[in-house]
Amino acid sequence: MGMTLANARLVRADEVREGWLTIEDGRITHVGYGTAPAGGVDLGGRYLVPGFVDIHNHGGAGGSYPAGDAEQARRAADFHLRHGTTTGVASLVTGAPDDLARAVAVLAELCDDGVFAGIHLEGPYISPARCGAHDPAQLRHPDADELAALVAAGRGHVRMLTIAPELPGALEAIRRAVDAGVIAALGHSDADYARTRAGIEAGATVATHLFNALPPLHHREPGPVAALLEDERVTVELINDGVHVHPAMLRLACAAAGPDRVALVTDAMAAAGLGDGEYTLGSMAVRVTGGVARIVEGGAIAGSTLTMDEAFRRTVQEVGLGLPEAARAASLVPARVLGLDDRIGSIDAGKDADLVVLSPDLAVEGVMKRGTWVVPPA
């Protein structure tokens, strides 16, 4: 049975315009402007944006993807769905080989069920000098057999690998990952500019949470940030939670990369949606205070308690991007990273009806996934 959503302020790739759309069998069949057909759902002039796509997320609502527990993972995914993330990738952290393989296998089944669009291996092939919230005792150099075993355990669902390009064997691992259909992302790295460039030439196309767990920009030693920002082949992840990156640096990154190369991510962990307290991220003990997650031993930032709707709202209200640009960063660009932009990421005929209704102050007031209301608008 079809549905019409009428009287909406459609946020599309290049404009915001009063309009309406029709939905059949979970897909958008028509986008129109002016007077809508009678009998539709009246959105009362609220914003309608494409469903958010989060390509870097470790959990929420008390559920942790690195735990390798299906019930926890479903709970976390549902929490983020209700905050507008209609497509998400389940991110793991550095762990022992057997633990990683087990978690990948569990998450692969949830990918089969459509809960996730893929699995992200953040580590274990990252720099000890920039490991952040990863267990330094579990870090290791890239291993071809282990990587092949993890990809096999994922049965085609391992979509991204974060790796430090300066490690021995890293460039070959990047090539192997790309040949296996896995997106290579550079991050948690102490590489210089030249080695980062080598990683890009080997096939890396994503910067894992740009600025964080990387050497800072320097005018004589530009390092990885400059290399990643300047290369048009690279999409840069940004965590916009008011903690990880200052708004001025977010504006700098958006201006340097342009609207087609910025992907907002949450890097959320189990505490997202819950209060302050004690949690874990992989094998690491985490304490959340004032909504900020940090490793108990050492104080490194341990992911975030962010949701994609908050990231979108901050990007408009604090960073100063327009609604279309923010929607590209929260939806279309990450959909392109995953190779799913033919199905999701924008409000266009033929695409899945993954939609978020936002109030004038950009609070979530409705969420639809493939034509079904998860959060019905009031």
Side-chain angles (χ1 to χ4, degrees):
M1 185 175 180
M3 180 190 310
T4 299
L5 303 184
N7 191 18
R9 300 173 71 182
L10 303 179
V11 180
R12 305 188 72 190
D14 299 309
E15 64 178 357
V16 180
R17 189 173 173 184
E18 299 284 344
W20 54 276
L21 52 85
T22 57
I23 297 166
E24 294 274 356
D25 297 324
R27 291 183 177 269
I28 300 169
T29 55
H30 183 79
V31 179
Y33 302 107
T35 303
V41 177
D42 190 337
L43 295 181
R46 288 174 285 190
Y47 293 112
L48 191 65
V49 301
F52 303 135
V53 181
D54 190 358
I55 59 175
H56 189 157
N57 185 322
H58 299 281
S64 175
Y65 303 146
D69 180 277
E71 182 180 348
Q72 286 193 39
R74 286 184 182 275
R75 180 168 73 249
D78 183 69
F79 165 76
H80 286 288
L81 174 59
R82 292 176 180 277
H83 283 268
T85 298
T86 52
T87 300
V89 169
S91 299
L92 300 178
V93 292
T94 296
D98 289 347
D99 291 339
L100 282 178
R102 180 179 56 82
V104 166
V106 169
L107 293 171
E109 292 191 8
L110 297 179
C111 292
D112 289 339
D113 293 341
V115 177
F116 301 108
I119 302 163
H120 167 209
L121 299 172
E122 189 182 14
Y125 313 135
I126 59 176
S127 167
R130 302 284 175 178
C131 62
H134 293 249
D135 184 355
Q138 296 288 353
L139 300 180
R140 45 200 183 270
H141 293 162
D143 180 277
D145 291 338
E146 181 186 16
L147 179 58
L150 289 170
V151 171
R155 295 183 290 100
H157 294 301
V158 175
R159 297 294 295 121
M160 190 181 301
L161 168 71
T162 292
I163 187 169
E166 72 274 20
L167 296 179
L171 299 185
E172 179 58 27
I174 291 170
R175 297 185 189 100
R176 286 177 178 270
V178 173
D179 287 346
V182 178
I183 301 156
L186 303 185
H188 285 278
S189 167
D190 206 35
D192 61 11
Y193 176 86
R195 189 64 174 184
T196 305
R197 292 286 310 160
I200 297 169
E201 293 300 328
T205 54
V206 171
T208 294
H209 48 49
L210 188 74
F211 300 119
N212 299 114
L214 293 171
L217 277 168
H218 187 280
H219 54 289
R220 286 189 296 274
E221 298 176 3
V225 172
L228 294 162
L229 278 175
E230 73 178 359
D231 198 299
E232 293 184 356
R233 294 169 290 185
V234 176
T235 297
V236 297
E237 296 180 352
L238 292 173
I239 307 171
N240 186 8
D241 63 349
V243 177
H244 279 77
V245 186
H246 191 282
M249 295 303 282
L250 292 167
R251 284 190 287 272
L252 178 66
C254 291
D260 291 318
R261 293 178 46 221
V262 170
L264 295 176
V265 298
T266 63
D267 196 18
M269 48 84 69
L274 301 179
D276 291 354
E278 307 291 326
Y279 299 89
T280 59
L281 180 60
S283 61
M284 305 296 281
V286 176
R287 179 176 296 120
V288 178
T289 304
V292 180
R294 294 186 180 275
I295 294 297
V296 172
E297 296 294 332
I301 295 176
S304 83
T305 58
L306 184 65
T307 53
M308 281 294 286
D309 58 321
E310 182 185 351
F312 180 91
R313 186 163 53 250
R314 284 180 176 273
T315 299
V316 175
Q317 296 176 349
E318 299 179 13
V319 179
L321 264 63
L323 286 167
E325 292 77 19
R328 292 175 81 86
S331 304
L332 184 58
V333 173
R336 285 177 178 166
V337 169
L338 297 176
L340 299 176
D341 53 303
D342 61 331
R343 287 179 36 210
I344 60 172
S346 61
I347 299 176
D348 289 303
K351 291 197 174 184
D352 289 353
D354 290 355
L355 303 163
V356 182
V357 180
L358 299 176
S359 69
D361 61 357
L362 306 182
V364 172
E365 295 192 343
V367 178
M368 174 182 284
K369 183 174 176 64
R370 294 182 186 171
T372 298
W373 289 112
V374 178
V375 179

